[in-house]
Structure formats: C-alpha cells, structure tokens
Amino acid sequence: MNIFVANLNFKVQEEDLRETFETYGEVDSARIITDRNTGRSKGFGFVEMPNSDDASRAIEELNDREMEGRNLVVKVAEERTEQRRFTNRRPQY
DNA sequence: CCTGAGCGT
C-alpha cells in the first residue's frame, strides 16, 4: 500500500520515516522527495507497506502526529501518473 | 545555514 506523508521536518530523512512507520508494521520502502536541483528535502515523501492492514493503522495513528516539532500529514497516496524512467537530460529550466 | 502547499526520478 502506498502512503503519502507530508509536512515533514526538513531534517527528517528516509530512515527516520521508515523507523516511524515500522512501529506499526513492515515497511517495504520509505522515500523522501528531494529537490532535483538542490537535493534538499521537499518536506514530503512516500512509504510503501506490504500489509494494508498495518498501513491503515499507521495512517490512522501517524496522521496529525507530532514528529520533530511538526504535525505529520499521512494519507493514502494517489496512483503515480506513469512509471517514468531516468532521463539524464533534464531541461535545467 | 535557510523554507512550508502538496502527490514521486
């Protein structure tokens, strides 16, 4: 199950996110979205949990929960538009 | 070092 998590403190990293969600069950992957150009955190990310039951509990429990001084926003993620592949050439603007 | 709506290379 794909989980969207936002309102993250910028200093929170993927492993912190993973640990937080592992409290409620197995975490397949945790990803923090970082700015392509600066590499800094965008303040939100995605967590994939194999067990949808654990995922639902995690969403209920972690949504609006405080983490590093910020209140987390945890929702079920929308389907990703399309599986895009790496493109070495990016229009820099 | 710094910021704060939203859905990913």
Side-chain angles (χ1 to χ4, degrees):
Chain A
M1 185 176 204
N2 288 25
I3 303 172
F4 172 72
V5 42
N7 209 34
L8 290 167
N9 190 300
F10 298 114
K11 70 179 183 182
V12 174
Q13 45 210 108
E14 294 183 347
E15 51 185 293
D16 301 318
L17 194 61
R18 168 181 282 271
E19 285 182 31
T20 304
F21 277 80
E22 277 179 342
T23 309
Y24 299 92
E26 184 182 350
V27 172
D28 187 54
S29 68
R31 161 146 77 248
I32 297 288
I33 306 305
T34 53
D35 187 274
R36 181 161 36 79
N37 300 101
T38 67
R40 287 198 233 110
S41 170
K42 283 182 179 173
F44 71 96
F46 295 88
V47 176
E48 297 180 30
M49 294 183 77
N51 190 315
S52 52
D53 198 37
D54 291 339
S56 300
R57 289 204 322 126
I59 294 175
E60 298 244 355
E61 295 293 323
L62 293 176
N63 185 41
D64 204 43
R65 270 294 160 83
E66 183 191 310
M67 184 183 188
E68 303 294 336
R70 298 285 170 183
N71 286 90
L72 296 180
V73 175
V74 186
K75 307 174 180 177
V76 177
E78 299 171 357
E79 182 74 20
R80 196 165 36 163
T81 332
E82 187 178 322
Q83 291 192 352
R84 301 204 157 181
R85 300 175 190 282
F86 258 98
T87 18
N88 282 358
R89 311 190 177 186
R90 300 259 99 195
Q92 284 300 330
Y93 61 103

